[in-house]
Amino acid sequence: MQSFALIRPHTLAAARQRVLANPEQRLLRAGGLDLLDRMKEGLETPDELVELSSLQGELGQQLRALESTATGLTIGALVTLAQLAQLAQHDDLNTRNIGHAALRQAAASAATPGIRNLATLGGNLLQRPRCWYFRSADLHCLKKGGSACLAITGENKYHAILGGGPSFIVHPSTLASALLALDARVEIAGETTRIIPIAELFVSPKTDPKREHILAPGELLTRVLLPAPGPAARSAYAVAKEKQSHDWPLAEAVVNLSLEAGVIKSVRVVLGHVAPVPWRSAEAEAALTGQKPGAALFARAAAAALAPARPLKHNAYKIPLAQGLLREALHRAADLPLPE
Ligand SMILES: Cc1cc2nc3c(=O)[nH]c(=O)nc-3n(C[C@H](O)[C@H](O)[C@H](O)COP(=O)(O)OP(=O)(O)OC[C@H]3O[C@@H](n4cnc5c(N)ncnc54)[C@H](O)[C@@H]3O)c2cc1C
């Protein structure tokens, strides 16, 4: 690995100045897990890493804060996955976090306890894909300026079945799927500060195959804002992996629903690790809205969610897998027993 300097700025202006002086060579570091992997893999050769944990003042506090108010939950970008996994134990949140359960479950499922202690919310959302063609410095895939996605004709067991093309990566972030289902917004600080729906953070390869998010060099993701769940809101996260720990998901499903008078009044359905962006299923949501929850309805919604799937040679198994996960998440969110 090439040697680099670790810069510890105290202000946003100083951090931006370092990065903007040479955007190709200067990278922000949060927990550093994904970043150091990319450096060891030879994908990045920065001359400076700009340490986010050194930021001070109001911004420094915001980056670390996990605050619950009447209007919702505000989570700083440096809050770790371990902290999110313990949301239920947070004093303020005990009584109102059933609606945010999917976020807690997603954070608790990711990676390993050791990784969760270091990995941050911001770094998790902005980590680069795990595709083995992208991660190999020797291969010139589409994401690195090549002419084609090598997964199309190659080993594509872990790749996209929905929304793929021209690149077939799957979005790597577990928290992204949960936060999209929970209708999160993200705050971005740069020359100005803006707040956008989290769906607008992600970039489809159809728009630009080289990037996964809209942040410009020197921009910081500072906070994630979650609306307070309604009294009848319930959410759930379900995942399948090859190994129970130290592994990435094969597929994920997140459901956030509200019941009223025995029917589903509103619902958001998101699938993870099946598409290049966290995949909101309009088909499943349409099938569920206004209906009485139950196993037959959930099976129909799961079939509808995967109807647009276009698997590659080695990943058709993800269709029944994602359907089963969605059915599981729906049962858990609706508080119904899982069928045998
Ligand atoms: C064995 C293993 C299993 C894993 N399993 C999972 C899993 O199941 N689900 C999952 O989601 N992840 C999984 N991961 C990935 C892990 O969660 C991420 O690597 C980690 O969350 C990255 O966070 P970080 O704080 O270390 O980010 P960093 O590596 O510091 O940053 C990642 C990227 O984001 C940028 N960045 C970071 N923070 C900001 C910010 N606030 N503003 C602007 N840019 C920023 C950095 O410049 C960098 O490009 C796994 C990793 C391992 C090693």
Side-chain angles (χ1 to χ4, degrees):
M1 193 195 287
Q2 169 182 299
S3 62
F4 58 89
L6 190 62
I7 306 299
R8 298 182 57 80
H10 290 173
T11 64
L12 175 64
R16 282 176 57 71
Q17 192 187 29
R18 294 310 296 203
V19 174
L20 293 176
N22 190 355
E24 296 284 308
Q25 293 283 300
R26 310 266 164 97
L27 296 171
L28 300 171
R29 186 187 99 108
L33 287 158
D34 181 51
L35 192 53
L36 290 171
D37 268 358
R38 280 153 42 201
M39 290 163 67
K40 286 185 272 184
E41 286 155 349
L43 296 180
E44 317 267 7
T45 51
D47 65 358
E48 287 186 5
L49 294 188
V50 179
E51 188 79 292
L52 290 176
S53 64
S54 67
L55 292 170
Q56 296 183 359
E58 192 182 346
L59 176 61
Q61 283 171 14
Q62 287 175 352
L63 286 169
R64 289 173 188 79
L66 179 52
E67 286 169 347
S68 171
T69 65
T71 53
L73 189 61
T74 304
I75 314 170
L78 289 178
V79 167
T80 63
L81 270 55
Q83 286 173 276
L84 292 175
Q86 288 168 3
L87 267 182
Q89 288 155 32
H90 195 285
D91 284 348
D92 289 350
L93 303 175
N94 264 333
T95 50
R96 33 184 150 142
N97 79 343
I98 297 173
H100 291 146
L103 177 59
R104 186 179 73 241
Q105 293 161 8
S109 83
T112 65
I115 291 170
R116 294 197 290 271
N117 278 334
L118 273 180
T120 66
L121 168 62
N124 186 270
L125 292 173
L126 302 174
Q127 61 178 307
R128 304 285 330 257
R130 303 305 308 185
C131 169
W132 39 38
Y133 298 111
F134 170 68
R135 291 274 166 171
S136 171
D138 298 331
L139 298 176
H140 198 48
C141 77
L142 185 66
K143 292 196 79 62
K144 293 180 283 189
S147 57
C149 174
L150 301 177
I152 296 173
T153 52
E155 289 295 332
N156 45 44
K157 178 177 175 186
Y158 300 118
H159 290 79
I161 55 170
L162 285 160
S167 158
F168 285 81
I169 60 143
V170 291
H171 198 277
S173 171
T174 287
L175 296 186
S177 301
L179 290 169
L180 179 59
L182 295 174
D183 199 15
R185 292 174 300 146
V186 294
E187 182 183 76
I188 297 168
E191 207 173 316
T192 58
T193 297
R194 62 193 195 280
I195 295 176
I196 56 168
I198 195 167
E200 293 175 18
L201 177 67
F202 309 115
V203 175
S204 157
K206 294 185 189 347
T207 306
D208 183 349
K210 288 193 186 163
R211 55 194 309 189
E212 299 86 45
H213 62 77
I214 59 160
L215 264 62
E219 284 193 322
L220 258 66
L221 193 157
T222 47
R223 293 189 288 188
V224 171
L225 316 167
L226 282 174
R234 297 185 58 94
S235 67
Y237 167 85
V239 62
K241 304 180 184 192
E242 286 178 322
K243 293 180 288 175
Q244 286 307 303
S245 179
H246 217 269
D247 204 2
W248 277 267
L250 297 168
E252 301 163 299
V254 194
V255 170
N256 178 19
L257 58 75
S258 284
L259 292 171
E260 198 175 275
V263 300
I264 299 171
K265 188 180 163 220
S266 65
V267 60
R268 287 170 81 101
V269 171
V270 179
L271 301 176
H273 282 82
V274 292
V277 292
W279 187 261
R280 189 162 170 201
S281 174
E283 295 84 357
E285 292 175 9
L288 292 160
T289 305
Q291 304 296 318
K292 189 167 178 294
L297 174 69
F298 295 165
R300 283 201 301 280
L306 274 299
R310 298 289 175 269
L312 299 166
K313 188 170 177 191
H314 304 293
N315 64 5
Y317 75 95
K318 283 195 178 192
I319 295 177
L321 184 66
Q323 285 177 342
L325 292 168
L326 179 50
R327 290 167 65 187
E328 178 192 332
L330 282 163
H331 278 89
R332 293 200 356 243
D335 203 17
L336 292 175
L338 290 169
E340 291 298 318

